[in-house]
Amino acid sequence: MGAVAGGPGAARIEPSADVDERAVLGAGTTVWHLAQVREHAVVGADCVIGRGAYVGPGVRIGSRVKVQNHALVYEPAVVEDGVFIGPAAVLTNDRHPRAVTPDGRLKGELDWRADGVTLRQGCSIGGRAVLVAGVTVGRWALVAAGAVVHRDVPDFALVAGVPARRIGWVGRAGERLRPAGEGRWECPRTGERYRETDGILLPGKP
Protein backbone atom coordinates (compact mmCIF):
# COMPACT_ATOMS: atom_id res chain seq x y z
CA MET A 1 0.00 0.00 0.00
CA GLY A 2 1.26 3.47 -0.84
CA ALA A 3 1.80 6.31 1.58
CA VAL A 4 -1.42 8.08 2.50
CA ALA A 5 -1.42 11.83 3.04
CA GLY A 6 -3.63 12.88 5.89
CA GLY A 7 -3.13 9.85 8.11
CA PRO A 8 -3.62 6.09 8.07
CA GLY A 9 -6.89 4.89 6.59
CA ALA A 10 -7.62 8.21 4.88
CA ALA A 11 -7.62 6.56 1.43
CA ARG A 12 -9.50 3.45 0.37
CA ILE A 13 -7.55 0.85 -1.61
CA GLU A 14 -9.28 -2.30 -2.78
CA PRO A 15 -7.31 -5.49 -2.01
CA SER A 16 -6.80 -6.37 -5.69
CA ALA A 17 -5.36 -2.93 -6.54
CA ASP A 18 -1.59 -2.59 -6.93
CA VAL A 19 -0.41 0.62 -5.27
CA ASP A 20 3.36 0.99 -4.93
CA GLU A 21 4.55 1.80 -1.42
CA ARG A 22 6.36 4.86 -2.81
CA ALA A 23 3.15 6.36 -4.25
CA VAL A 24 1.30 9.05 -2.28
CA LEU A 25 -2.50 9.13 -2.03
CA GLY A 26 -4.54 12.01 -0.68
CA ALA A 27 -7.26 11.74 1.95
CA GLY A 28 -10.60 10.48 0.67
CA THR A 29 -9.15 8.94 -2.49
CA THR A 30 -10.41 5.53 -3.65
CA VAL A 31 -8.41 3.09 -5.78
CA TRP A 32 -10.70 0.42 -7.20
CA HIS A 33 -10.18 -3.23 -8.14
CA LEU A 34 -7.19 -4.16 -10.33
CA ALA A 35 -6.02 -0.56 -10.71
CA GLN A 36 -2.28 0.11 -10.62
CA VAL A 37 -0.59 3.21 -9.19
CA ARG A 38 3.15 3.15 -9.82
CA GLU A 39 6.12 4.37 -7.80
CA HIS A 40 6.40 8.07 -6.95
CA ALA A 41 2.97 8.88 -8.40
CA VAL A 42 1.13 11.52 -6.39
CA VAL A 43 -2.68 11.45 -6.29
CA GLY A 44 -4.50 14.26 -4.50
CA ALA A 45 -7.48 14.23 -2.16
CA ASP A 46 -10.96 12.90 -2.98
CA CYS A 47 -9.96 11.21 -6.24
CA VAL A 48 -11.39 8.07 -7.83
CA ILE A 49 -9.06 5.70 -9.66
CA GLY A 50 -11.36 3.27 -11.48
CA ARG A 51 -11.17 -0.46 -11.99
CA GLY A 52 -8.21 -1.49 -14.12
CA ALA A 53 -6.87 2.05 -14.50
CA TYR A 54 -3.13 2.67 -14.74
CA VAL A 55 -1.21 5.63 -13.26
CA GLY A 56 2.44 5.65 -14.30
CA PRO A 57 5.61 6.39 -12.30
CA GLY A 58 5.87 9.99 -11.16
CA VAL A 59 2.49 11.05 -12.56
CA ARG A 60 1.02 14.05 -10.73
CA ILE A 61 -2.75 14.08 -10.20
CA GLY A 62 -4.55 16.89 -8.38
CA SER A 63 -7.59 16.70 -6.11
CA ARG A 64 -11.17 15.69 -6.98
CA VAL A 65 -10.05 13.91 -10.16
CA LYS A 66 -11.88 10.93 -11.68
CA VAL A 67 -9.83 8.40 -13.66
CA GLN A 68 -12.45 6.01 -15.00
CA ASN A 69 -12.18 2.26 -15.61
CA HIS A 70 -9.22 1.10 -17.72
CA ALA A 71 -7.92 4.60 -18.44
CA LEU A 72 -4.14 4.70 -18.97
CA VAL A 73 -2.20 7.70 -17.65
CA TYR A 74 1.44 7.37 -18.69
CA GLU A 75 4.30 9.26 -17.10
CA PRO A 76 5.14 12.11 -16.81
CA ALA A 77 1.54 13.30 -17.18
CA VAL A 78 0.29 16.20 -15.06
CA VAL A 79 -3.42 16.26 -14.21
CA GLU A 80 -4.76 19.32 -12.40
CA ASP A 81 -7.71 19.58 -9.98
CA GLY A 82 -11.21 18.58 -11.01
CA VAL A 83 -10.29 16.70 -14.20
CA PHE A 84 -12.39 13.83 -15.61
CA ILE A 85 -10.65 11.07 -17.61
CA GLY A 86 -13.20 8.77 -19.24
CA PRO A 87 -13.15 5.00 -19.53
CA ALA A 88 -10.32 3.52 -21.60
CA ALA A 89 -8.90 6.96 -22.47
CA VAL A 90 -5.15 6.95 -23.08
CA LEU A 91 -2.60 9.65 -22.26
CA THR A 92 0.46 8.61 -24.29
CA ASN A 93 4.08 9.65 -23.73
CA ASP A 94 6.17 8.70 -26.79
CA ARG A 95 6.18 10.86 -29.94
CA HIS A 96 8.25 8.33 -31.92
CA PRO A 97 7.27 4.91 -30.58
CA ARG A 98 9.47 1.94 -31.40
CA ALA A 99 10.07 -1.34 -29.55
CA VAL A 100 13.67 -1.52 -30.77
CA THR A 101 16.54 0.81 -31.63
CA PRO A 102 17.73 1.21 -35.25
CA ASP A 103 20.33 -1.51 -34.62
CA GLY A 104 17.66 -3.94 -33.40
CA ARG A 105 18.21 -3.76 -29.64
CA LEU A 106 15.19 -3.75 -27.35
CA LYS A 107 14.75 -0.13 -26.26
CA GLY A 108 15.36 0.69 -22.60
CA GLU A 109 14.83 3.76 -20.43
CA LEU A 110 17.86 5.58 -21.84
CA ASP A 111 16.81 5.10 -25.46
CA TRP A 112 13.83 7.46 -25.45
CA ARG A 113 12.41 10.51 -23.70
CA ALA A 114 8.98 10.40 -22.10
CA ASP A 115 6.87 13.42 -23.05
CA GLY A 116 3.76 13.67 -20.89
CA VAL A 117 0.28 15.06 -21.47
CA THR A 118 -0.96 17.98 -19.36
CA LEU A 119 -4.63 18.29 -18.39
CA ARG A 120 -5.59 21.67 -16.97
CA GLN A 121 -8.15 22.36 -14.27
CA GLY A 122 -11.67 21.07 -14.80
CA CYS A 123 -11.24 19.64 -18.29
CA SER A 124 -12.88 16.37 -19.37
CA ILE A 125 -11.59 13.60 -21.61
CA GLY A 126 -14.22 11.36 -23.21
CA GLY A 127 -14.13 7.58 -23.21
CA ARG A 128 -11.58 5.93 -25.54
CA ALA A 129 -10.04 9.27 -26.50
CA VAL A 130 -6.32 9.20 -27.25
CA LEU A 131 -4.06 12.13 -26.37
CA VAL A 132 -0.75 12.22 -28.23
CA ALA A 133 2.41 12.75 -26.18
CA GLY A 134 3.12 16.34 -25.18
CA VAL A 135 -0.28 17.93 -25.77
CA THR A 136 -2.01 20.22 -23.29
CA VAL A 137 -5.78 20.31 -22.82
CA GLY A 138 -6.91 23.68 -21.49
CA ARG A 139 -9.05 24.56 -18.49
CA TRP A 140 -12.66 23.33 -18.63
CA ALA A 141 -12.22 22.03 -22.20
CA LEU A 142 -14.08 18.91 -23.36
CA VAL A 143 -12.58 16.20 -25.56
CA ALA A 144 -15.29 14.07 -27.17
CA ALA A 145 -15.37 10.29 -26.88
CA GLY A 146 -13.09 8.56 -29.36
CA ALA A 147 -11.22 11.72 -30.38
CA VAL A 148 -7.51 11.68 -31.19
CA VAL A 149 -5.89 14.86 -29.88
CA HIS A 150 -2.58 15.71 -31.60
CA ARG A 151 -2.30 19.40 -30.74
CA ASP A 152 -3.07 21.65 -27.78
CA VAL A 153 -6.72 22.32 -26.92
CA PRO A 154 -7.71 25.87 -25.81
CA ASP A 155 -9.53 26.62 -22.57
CA PHE A 156 -13.31 25.91 -22.82
CA ALA A 157 -12.96 24.32 -26.29
CA LEU A 158 -15.12 21.39 -27.41
CA VAL A 159 -13.07 19.15 -29.72
CA ALA A 160 -14.07 15.98 -31.57
CA GLY A 161 -12.94 13.73 -34.38
CA VAL A 162 -9.81 12.08 -35.77
CA PRO A 163 -7.78 14.22 -35.67
CA ALA A 164 -9.64 16.33 -33.11
CA ARG A 165 -10.89 19.75 -34.20
CA ARG A 166 -12.75 22.44 -32.30
CA ILE A 167 -16.48 22.23 -33.01
CA GLY A 168 -17.74 24.60 -30.32
CA TRP A 169 -17.28 25.93 -26.81
CA VAL A 170 -18.33 24.57 -23.41
CA GLY A 171 -18.75 26.24 -20.04
CA ARG A 172 -17.77 25.12 -16.56
CA ALA A 173 -20.95 23.03 -16.35
CA GLY A 174 -19.77 20.99 -19.35
CA GLU A 175 -22.64 21.97 -21.64
CA ARG A 176 -22.18 23.42 -25.10
CA LEU A 177 -22.47 27.19 -25.07
CA ARG A 178 -25.04 28.99 -27.22
CA PRO A 179 -24.38 32.24 -29.10
CA ALA A 180 -25.40 35.41 -27.30
CA GLY A 181 -24.41 37.93 -29.99
CA GLU A 182 -21.29 39.96 -30.82
CA GLY A 183 -18.68 37.40 -29.77
CA ARG A 184 -20.57 36.48 -26.62
CA TRP A 185 -21.60 33.01 -25.50
CA GLU A 186 -23.92 31.78 -22.76
CA CYS A 187 -24.24 28.55 -20.77
CA PRO A 188 -27.80 27.19 -21.10
CA ARG A 189 -27.64 25.64 -17.64
CA THR A 190 -26.03 28.30 -15.47
CA GLY A 191 -26.50 31.49 -17.51
CA GLU A 192 -22.78 32.21 -17.20
CA ARG A 193 -21.55 34.49 -20.00
CA TYR A 194 -18.30 34.23 -21.96
CA ARG A 195 -16.57 36.44 -24.52
CA GLU A 196 -14.62 35.19 -27.54
CA THR A 197 -11.71 37.26 -28.85
CA ASP A 198 -9.29 36.03 -31.52
CA GLY A 199 -10.16 32.40 -30.89
CA ILE A 200 -9.81 32.68 -27.10
CA LEU A 201 -12.78 32.30 -24.77
CA LEU A 202 -12.86 34.06 -21.41
CA PRO A 203 -15.55 34.23 -18.72
CA GLY A 204 -17.36 37.55 -18.84
CA LYS A 205 -20.00 39.45 -16.95
CA PRO A 206 -23.68 38.44 -17.32
Short mmCIF file of all heavy atoms in Angstrom, two decimals, residues 94 96-108 111-112:
data_model
loop_
_atom_site.label_atom_id
_atom_site.label_comp_id
_atom_site.label_asym_id
_atom_site.label_seq_id
_atom_site.Cartn_x
_atom_site.Cartn_y
_atom_site.Cartn_z
N ASP A 94 5.05 8.95 -25.87
CA ASP A 94 6.17 8.70 -26.79
C ASP A 94 5.79 9.23 -28.17
O ASP A 94 4.88 8.70 -28.82
CB ASP A 94 6.46 7.21 -26.84
CG ASP A 94 7.80 6.90 -27.52
OD1 ASP A 94 8.37 7.80 -28.17
OD2 ASP A 94 8.26 5.75 -27.40
N HIS A 96 7.68 9.15 -30.86
CA HIS A 96 8.25 8.33 -31.92
C HIS A 96 8.37 6.89 -31.42
O HIS A 96 9.47 6.37 -31.22
CB HIS A 96 9.63 8.87 -32.32
CG HIS A 96 9.63 10.34 -32.63
ND1 HIS A 96 9.08 10.85 -33.78
CD2 HIS A 96 10.08 11.40 -31.91
CE1 HIS A 96 9.20 12.17 -33.79
NE2 HIS A 96 9.81 12.52 -32.66
N PRO A 97 7.24 6.22 -31.23
CA PRO A 97 7.27 4.91 -30.58
C PRO A 97 7.94 3.82 -31.43
O PRO A 97 7.64 3.69 -32.62
CB PRO A 97 5.79 4.59 -30.35
CG PRO A 97 5.06 5.40 -31.37
CD PRO A 97 5.86 6.64 -31.55
N ARG A 98 8.82 3.10 -30.82
CA ARG A 98 9.47 1.94 -31.40
C ARG A 98 9.78 0.97 -30.27
O ARG A 98 10.13 1.39 -29.15
CB ARG A 98 10.77 2.30 -32.11
CG ARG A 98 10.60 2.96 -33.46
CD ARG A 98 10.15 1.97 -34.51
NE ARG A 98 10.18 2.50 -35.85
CZ ARG A 98 9.15 3.07 -36.47
NH1 ARG A 98 8.00 3.20 -35.82
NH2 ARG A 98 9.26 3.51 -37.70
N ALA A 99 9.69 -0.33 -30.53
CA ALA A 99 10.07 -1.34 -29.55
C ALA A 99 11.57 -1.53 -29.51
O ALA A 99 12.14 -1.91 -28.48
CB ALA A 99 9.39 -2.66 -29.85
N VAL A 100 12.23 -1.28 -30.67
CA VAL A 100 13.67 -1.52 -30.77
C VAL A 100 14.38 -0.28 -31.29
O VAL A 100 13.77 0.61 -31.90
CB VAL A 100 13.97 -2.72 -31.69
CG1 VAL A 100 13.39 -4.01 -31.11
CG2 VAL A 100 13.41 -2.48 -33.10
N THR A 101 15.69 -0.25 -31.08
CA THR A 101 16.54 0.81 -31.63
C THR A 101 16.83 0.50 -33.10
O THR A 101 16.56 -0.61 -33.58
CB THR A 101 17.85 0.88 -30.84
OG1 THR A 101 18.56 -0.35 -31.02
CG2 THR A 101 17.60 1.12 -29.35
N PRO A 102 17.41 1.48 -33.84
CA PRO A 102 17.73 1.21 -35.25
C PRO A 102 18.65 0.01 -35.47
O PRO A 102 18.61 -0.61 -36.54
CB PRO A 102 18.39 2.51 -35.71
CG PRO A 102 17.77 3.56 -34.86
CD PRO A 102 17.60 2.91 -33.51
N ASP A 103 19.46 -0.34 -34.47
CA ASP A 103 20.33 -1.51 -34.62
C ASP A 103 19.69 -2.80 -34.11
O ASP A 103 20.35 -3.85 -34.03
CB ASP A 103 21.69 -1.28 -33.94
CG ASP A 103 21.56 -1.03 -32.44
OD1 ASP A 103 20.44 -1.13 -31.91
OD2 ASP A 103 22.58 -0.72 -31.80
N GLY A 104 18.39 -2.73 -33.74
CA GLY A 104 17.66 -3.94 -33.40
C GLY A 104 17.62 -4.30 -31.92
O GLY A 104 17.01 -5.30 -31.55
N ARG A 105 18.26 -3.49 -31.07
CA ARG A 105 18.21 -3.76 -29.64
C ARG A 105 16.85 -3.38 -29.07
O ARG A 105 16.23 -2.42 -29.52
CB ARG A 105 19.29 -2.97 -28.89
CG ARG A 105 20.70 -3.37 -29.17
CD ARG A 105 21.68 -2.54 -28.33
NE ARG A 105 21.59 -1.11 -28.63
CZ ARG A 105 20.98 -0.20 -27.85
NH1 ARG A 105 20.41 -0.57 -26.71
NH2 ARG A 105 20.97 1.07 -28.20
N LEU A 106 16.40 -4.13 -28.07
CA LEU A 106 15.19 -3.75 -27.35
C LEU A 106 15.43 -2.42 -26.65
O LEU A 106 16.42 -2.26 -25.92
CB LEU A 106 14.82 -4.82 -26.33
CG LEU A 106 13.52 -4.58 -25.54
CD1 LEU A 106 12.31 -4.66 -26.47
CD2 LEU A 106 13.39 -5.59 -24.41
N LYS A 107 14.56 -1.45 -26.87
CA LYS A 107 14.75 -0.13 -26.26
C LYS A 107 14.58 -0.19 -24.75
O LYS A 107 13.70 -0.87 -24.24
CB LYS A 107 13.76 0.87 -26.85
CG LYS A 107 14.04 1.24 -28.29
CD LYS A 107 13.01 2.21 -28.84
CE LYS A 107 13.17 3.59 -28.28
NZ LYS A 107 12.30 4.58 -28.97
N GLY A 108 15.44 0.55 -24.05
CA GLY A 108 15.36 0.69 -22.60
C GLY A 108 15.09 2.13 -22.22
O GLY A 108 14.85 3.00 -23.09
N ASP A 111 16.91 5.02 -24.00
CA ASP A 111 16.81 5.10 -25.46
C ASP A 111 15.67 5.98 -25.95
O ASP A 111 15.45 6.09 -27.15
CB ASP A 111 16.63 3.69 -26.05
CG ASP A 111 17.85 2.82 -25.85
OD1 ASP A 111 18.96 3.32 -26.10
OD2 ASP A 111 17.70 1.66 -25.43
N TRP A 112 14.93 6.59 -25.03
CA TRP A 112 13.83 7.46 -25.45
C TRP A 112 13.52 8.45 -24.33
O TRP A 112 13.95 8.27 -23.19
CB TRP A 112 12.59 6.65 -25.81
CG TRP A 112 11.95 5.95 -24.65
CD1 TRP A 112 12.47 4.90 -23.95
CD2 TRP A 112 10.71 6.26 -24.04
NE1 TRP A 112 11.62 4.52 -22.95
CE2 TRP A 112 10.52 5.33 -22.98
CE3 TRP A 112 9.72 7.19 -24.29
CZ2 TRP A 112 9.39 5.33 -22.17
CZ3 TRP A 112 8.59 7.20 -23.48
CH2 TRP A 112 8.44 6.28 -22.44
#
